[in-house]
Amino acid sequence: DIQMTQSPSSLSASVGDRVTITCRSSHSISTHLNWYQQKPGKAPKLLIYAASSFRGGVPSRFSATASGTDFTLTISSLQPEDFATYYCQQTYSSPRAFGQGTKLEIK
Amino acid sequence: QVQLQQWGAGLLKPSETLSLTCAVYGGSFSGFYWTWVRQPPGKGLEWIGEINDSGSTNYNPSLKSRVAMSVDPSKNQFSLNLNSVTAADTAVYYCARLDVESNGAHLDYWGQGTLVTVSS
């Protein structure tokens, strides 16, 4: 099975900060990597699929890159609505594992 | 606009069977994998498994011995059964649609979630 390791597990930042979240897969998954945002009490929401393709409506302050088995999600200038938990997920093979999540909190 | 609406029993006793159903509105039922994901209170997301409209399934090996998924294309519905539940199965359960494209697959629509509590 492919394991997804996400870091950091939590992050404290201020509005306007630039933050980066990293996800590493235990095996090659090509670009079969998605990023989801989840707010308390809500279902996860797809932000980015295929490592760097944006779902419609995602603000341009979000960006994503892939390099081998390393994937990053960057928010260039944090806005109040960005404080949430972010998950990566590989869909290269079953079981389609999620990373353990990164909780982004207001400093 | 695609919507997923899910329902099922929210309180179970240990050893009982969890049963949830998810209905799909506003879009095609064929051509997708229909997925179940769960989230224990305060914890991360766990992929349970998926089923397509033909009934082909993939399950998480950690749950495979207790999980069964089914599909009813005539009603645009799919279901999850998880038997012999314990307190460790207490979680919010989500249904979701997996859209498979040439460059990958992603969960693009989600149900509202159902909290299932296992307690004696």
Side-chain angles (χ1 to χ4, degrees):
Chain A
D1 297 354
I2 297 173
Q3 313 298 323
M4 305 303 296
T5 303
Q6 204 173 324
S7 61
S9 56
S10 65
L11 182 54
S12 183
S14 301
V15 172
D17 284 354
R18 177 186 181 92
V19 298
T20 296
I21 299 168
T22 298
C23 187
R24 174 170 289 173
S25 59
S26 61
H27 298 80
S28 174
I29 57 171
S30 185
T31 56
H32 295 226
L33 188 285
N34 308 313
W35 290 99
Y36 303 88
Q37 177 192 66
Q38 186 181 33
K39 295 184 178 179
K42 300 294 187 182
K45 182 174 78 170
L46 177 67
L47 287 182
I48 292 165
Y49 61 97
S52 59
S53 296
F54 288 83
R55 194 167 193 201
V58 174
S60 59
R61 61 183 179 273
F62 288 87
S63 62
T65 63
S67 177
T69 58
D70 291 338
F71 303 84
T72 64
L73 173 69
T74 298
I75 310 173
S76 60
S77 178
L78 278 171
Q79 298 302 301
E81 59 268 29
D82 300 334
F83 291 94
T85 301
Y86 294 83
Y87 294 93
C88 61
Q89 183 202 21
Q90 69 83 16
T91 52
Y92 183 79
S93 66
S94 177
R96 306 190 196 267
F98 291 91
Q100 66 267 46
T102 296
K103 186 173 183 179
L104 183 50
E105 299 175 300
I106 300 175
K107 186 183 288 184
Chain B
Q1 176 72 345
V2 176
Q3 293 186 9
L4 278 66
Q5 185 170 353
Q6 58 184 102
W7 64 89
L11 181 61
L12 296 172
K13 290 182 167 52
S15 80
E16 292 185 335
T17 296
L18 179 157
S19 291
L20 297 173
T21 298
C22 186
V24 181
Y25 300 99
S28 173
F29 194 73
S30 62
F32 301 95
Y33 268 86
W34 302 98
T35 300
W36 292 95
V37 174
R38 71 180 183 177
Q39 184 172 38
K43 296 189 177 180
L45 302 171
E46 180 180 26
W47 184 84
I48 299 172
E50 63 194 15
I51 185 169
N52 68 6
D53 60 298
S54 300
S56 177
T57 56
N58 292 303
Y59 297 144
N60 192 322
S62 68
L63 298 168
K64 190 172 185 176
S65 64
R66 298 193 291 129
V67 168
M69 294 182 184
S70 60
V71 65
D72 187 344
S74 69
K75 295 182 179 179
N76 282 12
Q77 293 178 3
F78 61 106
S79 298
L80 168 69
N81 276 8
L82 179 68
N83 62 37
S84 304
V85 297
T86 70
D89 296 310
T90 294
V92 176
Y93 287 75
Y94 293 101
C95 60
R97 187 182 84 167
L98 184 74
D99 186 10
V100 181
E101 298 182 335
S102 58
N103 59 351
H106 48 270
L107 296 168
D108 56 357
Y109 291 97
W110 294 69
Q112 77 276 19
T114 300
L115 175 61
V116 177
T117 302
V118 181
S119 175
S120 56

